[in-house]
Amino acid sequence: MNHVIRTAIVAAAVAVSGSAIVAAQTNPMVGGAAMYPTKTIVENAVNSKDHTTLVAAVKAAGLVETLSGPGPFTVFAPTNAAFKKLPAGTVDTLLKPENKAQLASVLTYHVVPGTITAADIAAKAKANGGTATYTTVQGEPLMFKKVGTGWGIMDGKGHKGRVTIANVMQSNGVIHVVDTVMLP
């Protein structure tokens, strides 16, 4: 009887660890942290060491509650390195309380309503001559074109970057990590 119980416990442990491995393989690691599809955009982003500037900006802009809500949202999440590419002083200026509206505009320029995966971008690009265009929450469009094996992101002002990690699924949408901060 003890052998049967031990066998059942081992089998359950293997099944649970196997499920954890499958879940971990479903979402990529971002900033050295596991991203969980059961958590919100904010709950996952705070764990990424590559997105500390973005998280600080979301807090300063008062967007935590919104991006923790049901959404769904697609967030093109600039890394810390992307923020460092901005002209000196830009981030510090945007984070000042008196610039909250401007900061919110910059951040919502990286958010599109709905859950848009890389496959959705590919299908829309294929149907539209190679370019997929989405209107951001801020109101202006972002365009996507295939670049090598990944996707390039651009706006109407000439800013260009790349999606470096795609399809980080969240309970309230999806994150695509990008290497550039787009400025409206």
Side-chain angles (χ1 to χ4, degrees):
M1 182 67 144
N2 281 340
H3 177 48
V4 171
I5 292 172
R6 273 185 271 156
T7 302
I9 290 171
V10 169
V14 168
V16 169
S17 66
S19 297
I21 290 169
V22 169
Q25 290 173 344
T26 302
N27 254 358
M29 299 277 284
V30 177
M35 298 286 115
Y36 298 99
T38 56
K39 292 187 176 187
T40 67
I41 290 165
V42 172
E43 288 171 332
N44 274 320
V46 298
N47 293 315
S48 169
K49 69 178 178 175
D50 291 343
H51 290 90
T52 56
T53 305
L54 178 62
V55 169
V58 166
K59 289 177 182 178
L63 294 174
V64 170
E65 187 174 330
T66 300
L67 292 175
S68 295
F73 307 104
T74 298
V75 176
F76 297 94
T79 61
N80 295 338
F83 280 99
K84 286 180 182 173
K85 291 195 289 187
L86 293 172
T90 302
V91 174
D92 292 336
T93 299
L94 286 171
L95 290 174
K96 290 180 179 179
E98 62 267 24
N99 296 324
K100 184 175 180 179
Q102 185 181 4
L103 177 59
S105 179
V106 170
L107 294 175
T108 58
Y109 196 43
H110 294 80
V111 180
V112 174
T115 300
I116 302 164
T117 65
D120 297 326
I121 293 170
K124 191 168 188 174
K126 184 176 181 181
N128 292 286
T131 302
T133 302
Y134 293 95
T135 301
T136 67
V137 171
Q138 185 267 353
E140 294 186 45
L142 291 177
M143 287 78 67
F144 300 86
K145 284 187 178 186
K146 193 75 170 158
V147 177
T149 59
W151 288 96
I153 181 173
M154 62 220 100
D155 65 13
K157 294 173 183 57
H159 303 112
K160 293 181 181 180
R162 290 183 60 102
V163 175
T164 58
I165 302 174
N167 297 332
V168 186
M169 304 309 293
Q170 316 291 299
S171 65
N172 62 344
V174 61
I175 292 173
H176 301 284
V177 178
V178 296
D179 67 357
T180 302
V181 177
M182 302 292 180
L183 296 173

